[in-house]
Amino acid sequence: MSQYGTDALRFTLASMASPGRDMKLAEERIEGYRNFVTKIWNAARFIQLHAEGTKTQKPAEDRPFPDQWILSRLNHAIREVTKALDNYRFDQATSHLYQFIWHEFCDWYIELSKPVIYNNTDDNALRIATLKCLLYILESSLRLLHPFMPFVTEEVWQTIPHKGESIMRSTLQKYKEREIEAEVRMSYNMEDITGIRTSRGELNIATSIEIFELIRT
């Protein structure tokens, strides 16, 4: 705990709680989840730097497309984590949380939000909607993650808009229907972007060079 932090150790132990399996507690694994804690801190700092005010709700059809996608993925995470906790499958719950927070929220949605945040004025409707969605996803993710990482989630939760005195007294959100169409559409975009990145690397094209793409549908 003194080397990697209590939250990282707790998350590691929960991720190893697979029935009928004995796994070696390797320091490399704890270090990896310490990096996960750092990822959450960095994401929270980025959102806090740009977002002000309280979160608001809008109908799904009124939200920008990336917002519809990440909200749908949040609902998927809520369903899977809740089901795993009900069945005492803490390993599955941590796996779903890691996938959603690191790969979908941080690696994709936050990166997609940056051009909107940096390239629009403060009173731009799209920018405001994106910032409020960032806050909403962050706060919801912290509540899901709290049983496994109680310290970092409480610390971050106290610095963003919330209801109540402590995250310990908050409740898990209820599952809502997913936006499957948005998820399918986003999967095409993710595949496209990944292909462009791969091509850049294979052809040694500098990231500073713009690439114009033609997509046949």
Side-chain angles (χ1 to χ4, degrees):
M1 286 188 292
S2 61
Q3 185 173 355
Y4 298 108
T6 304
D7 281 334
L9 178 59
R10 283 174 59 98
F11 200 86
T12 303
L13 294 176
S15 70
M16 297 171 61
S18 301
R21 295 180 62 190
D22 293 329
M23 301 177 66
K24 181 180 179 181
L25 181 61
E27 286 194 24
E28 293 81 5
R29 189 161 185 167
I30 307 174
E31 183 178 9
Y33 288 128
R34 181 189 62 182
N35 296 338
F36 183 39
V37 175
T38 303
K39 190 83 169 179
I40 295 168
W41 272 113
N42 291 339
R45 280 209 306 261
F46 170 78
I47 295 170
Q48 292 164 357
L49 180 64
H50 298 283
E52 295 181 357
T54 58
K55 65 185 182 185
T56 58
Q57 292 282 7
K58 289 185 177 181
E61 61 272 15
D62 294 340
R63 294 179 181 270
F65 158 64
D67 291 12
Q68 296 179 33
W69 170 75
I70 194 62
L71 288 167
S72 184
R73 297 308 299 165
L74 171 64
N75 283 326
H76 174 72
I78 290 171
R79 183 182 67 177
E80 295 303 317
V81 171
T82 301
K83 182 169 64 175
L85 290 176
D86 289 342
N87 294 322
Y88 299 99
R89 291 301 306 269
F90 306 123
D91 57 327
Q92 294 179 356
T94 56
S95 177
H96 289 299
L97 284 167
Y98 186 89
Q99 169 66 26
F100 172 72
I101 295 174
W102 187 304
H103 297 296
E104 296 176 339
F105 181 45
C106 294
D107 284 355
W108 281 102
Y109 183 71
I110 290 181
E111 292 305 313
L112 288 172
S113 73
K114 288 180 179 179
V116 178
I117 292 172
Y118 293 141
N119 296 337
N120 291 276
T121 59
D122 290 339
D123 60 349
N124 182 269
L126 178 59
R127 182 177 188 275
I128 294 173
T130 300
L131 289 171
K132 290 182 177 179
C133 187
L134 281 166
L135 275 173
Y136 179 78
I137 299 297
L138 175 62
E139 196 271 341
S140 301
S141 300
L142 293 174
R143 280 192 274 165
L144 283 173
L145 187 61
H146 179 68
F148 305 101
M149 291 186 172
F151 299 104
V152 66
T153 52
E154 180 75 63
E155 186 74 17
V156 174
W157 193 78
Q158 292 293 344
T159 65
I160 62 176
H162 62 269
K163 295 181 180 180
E165 297 181 358
S166 171
I167 194 173
M168 290 188 295
R169 303 293 297 273
S170 63
T171 58
L172 292 179
Q173 292 175 283
K174 300 296 183 182
Y175 169 72
K176 299 178 183 178
E177 290 299 321
R178 293 160 58 189
E179 295 288 336
I180 301 299
E181 183 178 347
E183 291 193 31
V184 172
R185 181 180 170 189
M186 184 63 184
S187 69
Y188 294 145
N189 290 339
M190 293 167 71
E191 184 177 344
D192 185 37
I193 293 170
T194 301
I196 293 173
R197 290 173 176 171
T198 301
S199 298
R200 275 189 182 275
E202 292 175 348
L203 300 174
N204 295 319
I205 301 175
T207 56
S208 58
I209 299 176
E210 290 189 4
I211 294 179
F212 295 91
E213 178 185 17
L214 175 63
I215 302 177
R216 294 185 180 273
T217 59

Short mmCIF file of all heavy atoms in Angstrom, two decimals, residues 11-49:
data_model
loop_
_atom_site.label_atom_id
_atom_site.label_comp_id
_atom_site.label_asym_id
_atom_site.label_seq_id
_atom_site.Cartn_x
_atom_site.Cartn_y
_atom_site.Cartn_z
N PHE A 11 -8.21 -2.68 -5.79
CA PHE A 11 -8.71 -3.00 -7.13
C PHE A 11 -8.05 -4.26 -7.67
O PHE A 11 -8.70 -5.09 -8.31
CB PHE A 11 -8.46 -1.82 -8.07
CG PHE A 11 -9.32 -1.83 -9.30
CD1 PHE A 11 -10.59 -1.27 -9.29
CD2 PHE A 11 -8.85 -2.40 -10.48
CE1 PHE A 11 -11.39 -1.28 -10.43
CE2 PHE A 11 -9.65 -2.41 -11.63
CZ PHE A 11 -10.92 -1.85 -11.60
N THR A 12 -6.76 -4.42 -7.41
CA THR A 12 -6.04 -5.62 -7.84
C THR A 12 -6.63 -6.87 -7.20
O THR A 12 -6.89 -7.87 -7.88
CB THR A 12 -4.55 -5.51 -7.50
OG1 THR A 12 -3.99 -4.34 -8.10
CG2 THR A 12 -3.80 -6.73 -8.00
N LEU A 13 -6.84 -6.82 -5.91
CA LEU A 13 -7.39 -7.99 -5.20
C LEU A 13 -8.78 -8.33 -5.71
O LEU A 13 -9.12 -9.51 -5.88
CB LEU A 13 -7.41 -7.72 -3.70
CG LEU A 13 -6.05 -7.56 -3.03
CD1 LEU A 13 -6.21 -7.19 -1.56
CD2 LEU A 13 -5.22 -8.84 -3.16
N ALA A 14 -9.59 -7.31 -5.95
CA ALA A 14 -10.94 -7.56 -6.47
C ALA A 14 -10.88 -8.17 -7.87
O ALA A 14 -11.66 -9.06 -8.20
CB ALA A 14 -11.74 -6.26 -6.49
N SER A 15 -9.94 -7.68 -8.69
CA SER A 15 -9.83 -8.20 -10.06
C SER A 15 -9.36 -9.65 -10.08
O SER A 15 -9.57 -10.36 -11.08
CB SER A 15 -8.85 -7.34 -10.86
OG SER A 15 -7.52 -7.53 -10.43
N MET A 16 -8.75 -10.11 -9.01
CA MET A 16 -8.24 -11.48 -8.93
C MET A 16 -9.22 -12.44 -8.26
O MET A 16 -8.93 -13.63 -8.13
CB MET A 16 -6.91 -11.50 -8.18
CG MET A 16 -5.79 -10.72 -8.86
SD MET A 16 -4.32 -10.54 -7.83
CE MET A 16 -3.87 -12.25 -7.58
N ALA A 17 -10.37 -11.93 -7.86
CA ALA A 17 -11.33 -12.75 -7.10
C ALA A 17 -12.18 -13.62 -8.02
O ALA A 17 -13.39 -13.53 -8.06
CB ALA A 17 -12.22 -11.84 -6.26
N SER A 18 -11.51 -14.48 -8.79
CA SER A 18 -12.21 -15.39 -9.68
C SER A 18 -12.45 -16.71 -8.96
O SER A 18 -11.50 -17.29 -8.40
CB SER A 18 -11.39 -15.64 -10.95
OG SER A 18 -11.16 -14.42 -11.64
N PRO A 19 -13.66 -17.23 -8.97
CA PRO A 19 -13.96 -18.49 -8.25
C PRO A 19 -13.12 -19.65 -8.78
O PRO A 19 -12.98 -19.83 -9.99
CB PRO A 19 -15.45 -18.71 -8.55
CG PRO A 19 -15.99 -17.37 -8.90
CD PRO A 19 -14.86 -16.64 -9.57
N GLY A 20 -12.56 -20.41 -7.86
CA GLY A 20 -11.83 -21.62 -8.23
C GLY A 20 -10.46 -21.39 -8.82
O GLY A 20 -9.86 -22.31 -9.38
N ARG A 21 -9.93 -20.16 -8.70
CA ARG A 21 -8.61 -19.89 -9.27
C ARG A 21 -7.69 -19.30 -8.21
O ARG A 21 -8.09 -18.43 -7.44
CB ARG A 21 -8.72 -18.90 -10.43
CG ARG A 21 -9.48 -19.43 -11.64
CD ARG A 21 -9.52 -18.39 -12.74
NE ARG A 21 -8.19 -18.04 -13.22
CZ ARG A 21 -7.94 -17.03 -14.05
NH1 ARG A 21 -8.93 -16.26 -14.46
NH2 ARG A 21 -6.71 -16.78 -14.45
N ASP A 22 -6.47 -19.77 -8.18
CA ASP A 22 -5.44 -19.20 -7.33
C ASP A 22 -4.46 -18.44 -8.22
O ASP A 22 -3.86 -19.02 -9.13
CB ASP A 22 -4.69 -20.29 -6.55
CG ASP A 22 -5.59 -20.97 -5.54
OD1 ASP A 22 -6.49 -20.30 -5.02
OD2 ASP A 22 -5.39 -22.18 -5.29
N MET A 23 -4.32 -17.15 -7.97
CA MET A 23 -3.46 -16.32 -8.80
C MET A 23 -2.37 -15.67 -7.96
O MET A 23 -2.62 -15.26 -6.82
CB MET A 23 -4.29 -15.25 -9.51
CG MET A 23 -5.40 -15.81 -10.39
SD MET A 23 -6.42 -14.53 -11.16
CE MET A 23 -5.21 -13.77 -12.25
N LYS A 24 -1.20 -15.57 -8.55
CA LYS A 24 -0.08 -14.94 -7.86
C LYS A 24 -0.26 -13.43 -7.85
O LYS A 24 -0.58 -12.82 -8.88
CB LYS A 24 1.23 -15.31 -8.56
CG LYS A 24 2.46 -14.71 -7.90
CD LYS A 24 3.72 -15.11 -8.63
CE LYS A 24 4.96 -14.49 -7.98
NZ LYS A 24 6.20 -14.85 -8.71
N LEU A 25 -0.05 -12.83 -6.69
CA LEU A 25 -0.16 -11.37 -6.56
C LEU A 25 1.15 -10.74 -7.02
O LEU A 25 2.12 -10.67 -6.27
CB LEU A 25 -0.47 -10.98 -5.11
CG LEU A 25 -0.62 -9.48 -4.84
CD1 LEU A 25 -1.78 -8.91 -5.65
CD2 LEU A 25 -0.84 -9.23 -3.35
N ALA A 26 1.18 -10.31 -8.26
CA ALA A 26 2.40 -9.74 -8.84
C ALA A 26 2.38 -8.22 -8.70
O ALA A 26 1.35 -7.58 -8.89
CB ALA A 26 2.51 -10.12 -10.31
N GLU A 27 3.53 -7.66 -8.37
CA GLU A 27 3.62 -6.21 -8.21
C GLU A 27 3.34 -5.47 -9.51
O GLU A 27 2.82 -4.35 -9.50
CB GLU A 27 5.00 -5.82 -7.68
CG GLU A 27 5.21 -6.14 -6.22
CD GLU A 27 6.43 -5.45 -5.65
OE1 GLU A 27 6.84 -4.41 -6.21
OE2 GLU A 27 6.96 -5.93 -4.64
N GLU A 28 3.66 -6.11 -10.64
CA GLU A 28 3.41 -5.46 -11.93
C GLU A 28 1.92 -5.19 -12.12
O GLU A 28 1.53 -4.18 -12.72
CB GLU A 28 3.93 -6.34 -13.07
CG GLU A 28 5.43 -6.48 -13.12
CD GLU A 28 5.96 -7.52 -12.14
OE1 GLU A 28 5.12 -8.19 -11.49
OE2 GLU A 28 7.20 -7.66 -12.02
N ARG A 29 1.10 -6.10 -11.61
CA ARG A 29 -0.34 -5.91 -11.76
C ARG A 29 -0.83 -4.75 -10.89
O ARG A 29 -1.66 -3.95 -11.31
CB ARG A 29 -1.05 -7.20 -11.37
CG ARG A 29 -2.53 -7.20 -11.68
CD ARG A 29 -3.08 -8.60 -11.72
NE ARG A 29 -4.48 -8.60 -12.13
CZ ARG A 29 -5.14 -9.69 -12.49
NH1 ARG A 29 -4.52 -10.86 -12.51
NH2 ARG A 29 -6.40 -9.63 -12.83
N ILE A 30 -0.30 -4.67 -9.67
CA ILE A 30 -0.67 -3.55 -8.80
C ILE A 30 -0.21 -2.23 -9.40
O ILE A 30 -0.92 -1.22 -9.36
CB ILE A 30 -0.06 -3.73 -7.39
CG1 ILE A 30 -0.42 -5.10 -6.81
CG2 ILE A 30 -0.55 -2.64 -6.45
CD1 ILE A 30 0.28 -5.41 -5.50
N GLU A 31 0.97 -2.23 -9.98
CA GLU A 31 1.49 -1.03 -10.61
C GLU A 31 0.60 -0.60 -11.78
O GLU A 31 0.37 0.59 -11.99
CB GLU A 31 2.91 -1.27 -11.11
CG GLU A 31 3.57 -0.04 -11.72
CD GLU A 31 4.99 -0.29 -12.17
OE1 GLU A 31 5.41 -1.47 -12.16
OE2 GLU A 31 5.68 0.67 -12.54
N GLY A 32 0.09 -1.58 -12.51
CA GLY A 32 -0.80 -1.26 -13.62
C GLY A 32 -2.07 -0.58 -13.15
O GLY A 32 -2.54 0.38 -13.79
N TYR A 33 -2.62 -1.02 -12.03
CA TYR A 33 -3.83 -0.39 -11.52
C TYR A 33 -3.53 0.94 -10.82
O TYR A 33 -4.41 1.79 -10.71
CB TYR A 33 -4.57 -1.35 -10.59
CG TYR A 33 -5.23 -2.48 -11.35
CD1 TYR A 33 -5.03 -3.81 -11.00
CD2 TYR A 33 -6.04 -2.22 -12.46
CE1 TYR A 33 -5.63 -4.84 -11.71
CE2 TYR A 33 -6.63 -3.24 -13.17
CZ TYR A 33 -6.43 -4.55 -12.80
OH TYR A 33 -7.02 -5.56 -13.52
N ARG A 34 -2.28 1.12 -10.38
CA ARG A 34 -1.90 2.46 -9.91
C ARG A 34 -1.93 3.44 -11.08
O ARG A 34 -2.35 4.59 -10.93
CB ARG A 34 -0.49 2.42 -9.30
CG ARG A 34 -0.05 3.79 -8.75
CD ARG A 34 1.40 3.80 -8.36
NE ARG A 34 2.27 3.56 -9.50
CZ ARG A 34 3.61 3.47 -9.42
NH1 ARG A 34 4.20 3.60 -8.24
NH2 ARG A 34 4.33 3.24 -10.50
N ASN A 35 -1.52 2.97 -12.24
CA ASN A 35 -1.62 3.81 -13.44
C ASN A 35 -3.08 4.13 -13.76
O ASN A 35 -3.38 5.20 -14.30
CB ASN A 35 -0.96 3.11 -14.62
CG ASN A 35 0.53 2.91 -14.43
OD1 ASN A 35 1.17 3.61 -13.64
ND2 ASN A 35 1.10 1.94 -15.13
N PHE A 36 -3.97 3.20 -13.46
CA PHE A 36 -5.40 3.43 -13.65
C PHE A 36 -5.88 4.56 -12.74
O PHE A 36 -6.66 5.42 -13.16
CB PHE A 36 -6.15 2.14 -13.35
CG PHE A 36 -7.64 2.21 -13.58
CD1 PHE A 36 -8.18 2.89 -14.66
CD2 PHE A 36 -8.51 1.56 -12.72
CE1 PHE A 36 -9.55 2.95 -14.88
CE2 PHE A 36 -9.88 1.60 -12.92
CZ PHE A 36 -10.40 2.29 -14.01
N VAL A 37 -5.40 4.57 -11.51
CA VAL A 37 -5.73 5.67 -10.58
C VAL A 37 -5.23 6.99 -11.15
O VAL A 37 -5.95 8.01 -11.12
CB VAL A 37 -5.12 5.41 -9.19
CG1 VAL A 37 -5.37 6.60 -8.26
CG2 VAL A 37 -5.70 4.14 -8.57
N THR A 38 -4.01 7.00 -11.67
CA THR A 38 -3.45 8.21 -12.27
C THR A 38 -4.28 8.66 -13.46
O THR A 38 -4.51 9.86 -13.66
CB THR A 38 -2.00 7.96 -12.71
OG1 THR A 38 -1.23 7.53 -11.59
CG2 THR A 38 -1.39 9.22 -13.31
N LYS A 39 -4.76 7.71 -14.25
CA LYS A 39 -5.61 8.03 -15.40
C LYS A 39 -6.88 8.74 -14.94
O LYS A 39 -7.32 9.72 -15.56
CB LYS A 39 -5.97 6.74 -16.12
CG LYS A 39 -6.65 6.93 -17.48
CD LYS A 39 -5.64 7.18 -18.56
CE LYS A 39 -6.26 7.10 -19.94
NZ LYS A 39 -5.29 7.36 -21.02
N ILE A 40 -7.48 8.27 -13.86
CA ILE A 40 -8.70 8.89 -13.34
C ILE A 40 -8.40 10.31 -12.85
O ILE A 40 -9.17 11.24 -13.11
CB ILE A 40 -9.27 8.02 -12.19
CG1 ILE A 40 -9.71 6.66 -12.74
CG2 ILE A 40 -10.43 8.72 -11.50
CD1 ILE A 40 -10.00 5.64 -11.67
N TRP A 41 -7.28 10.49 -12.13
CA TRP A 41 -6.90 11.81 -11.66
C TRP A 41 -6.73 12.78 -12.82
O TRP A 41 -7.22 13.91 -12.79
CB TRP A 41 -5.58 11.73 -10.89
CG TRP A 41 -5.71 11.44 -9.43
CD1 TRP A 41 -5.30 10.33 -8.78
CD2 TRP A 41 -6.27 12.31 -8.43
NE1 TRP A 41 -5.58 10.43 -7.43
CE2 TRP A 41 -6.17 11.63 -7.20
CE3 TRP A 41 -6.85 13.58 -8.48
CZ2 TRP A 41 -6.63 12.19 -6.01
CZ3 TRP A 41 -7.31 14.13 -7.28
CH2 TRP A 41 -7.19 13.44 -6.08
N ASN A 42 -6.02 12.34 -13.86
CA ASN A 42 -5.77 13.21 -15.00
C ASN A 42 -7.06 13.57 -15.73
O ASN A 42 -7.25 14.72 -16.17
CB ASN A 42 -4.79 12.54 -15.96
CG ASN A 42 -3.39 12.43 -15.39
OD1 ASN A 42 -3.02 13.17 -14.48
ND2 ASN A 42 -2.60 11.51 -15.91
N ALA A 43 -7.95 12.59 -15.88
CA ALA A 43 -9.24 12.86 -16.53
C ALA A 43 -10.04 13.86 -15.72
O ALA A 43 -10.64 14.80 -16.27
CB ALA A 43 -10.02 11.56 -16.70
N ALA A 44 -10.07 13.69 -14.41
CA ALA A 44 -10.82 14.59 -13.54
C ALA A 44 -10.25 16.00 -13.59
O ALA A 44 -10.99 16.99 -13.64
CB ALA A 44 -10.80 14.07 -12.11
N ARG A 45 -8.93 16.13 -13.61
CA ARG A 45 -8.29 17.44 -13.68
C ARG A 45 -8.63 18.14 -14.98
O ARG A 45 -8.89 19.35 -15.01
CB ARG A 45 -6.77 17.31 -13.53
CG ARG A 45 -6.30 17.14 -12.10
CD ARG A 45 -4.91 17.70 -11.91
NE ARG A 45 -3.97 17.13 -12.87
CZ ARG A 45 -3.13 16.13 -12.60
NH1 ARG A 45 -3.13 15.58 -11.42
NH2 ARG A 45 -2.29 15.68 -13.50
N PHE A 46 -8.62 17.41 -16.07
CA PHE A 46 -8.96 17.98 -17.37
C PHE A 46 -10.39 18.50 -17.38
O PHE A 46 -10.66 19.62 -17.84
CB PHE A 46 -8.77 16.93 -18.47
CG PHE A 46 -9.33 17.36 -19.81
CD1 PHE A 46 -8.64 18.25 -20.62
CD2 PHE A 46 -10.56 16.88 -20.25
CE1 PHE A 46 -9.14 18.64 -21.84
CE2 PHE A 46 -11.08 17.27 -21.46
CZ PHE A 46 -10.37 18.16 -22.27
N ILE A 47 -11.30 17.71 -16.86
CA ILE A 47 -12.72 18.10 -16.84
C ILE A 47 -12.93 19.30 -15.92
O ILE A 47 -13.63 20.25 -16.27
CB ILE A 47 -13.59 16.91 -16.41
CG1 ILE A 47 -13.50 15.79 -17.46
CG2 ILE A 47 -15.05 17.34 -16.22
CD1 ILE A 47 -14.13 14.48 -17.03
N GLN A 48 -12.31 19.27 -14.74
CA GLN A 48 -12.46 20.37 -13.79
C GLN A 48 -11.88 21.67 -14.34
O GLN A 48 -12.38 22.75 -14.04
CB GLN A 48 -11.76 20.00 -12.48
CG GLN A 48 -12.44 18.88 -11.72
CD GLN A 48 -11.53 18.30 -10.65
OE1 GLN A 48 -10.38 18.68 -10.50
NE2 GLN A 48 -12.07 17.35 -9.89
N LEU A 49 -10.85 21.55 -15.16
CA LEU A 49 -10.20 22.74 -15.71
C LEU A 49 -11.13 23.50 -16.65
O LEU A 49 -11.08 24.73 -16.72
CB LEU A 49 -8.92 22.33 -16.46
CG LEU A 49 -8.10 23.45 -17.11
CD1 LEU A 49 -7.55 24.39 -16.05
CD2 LEU A 49 -6.97 22.86 -17.94
#
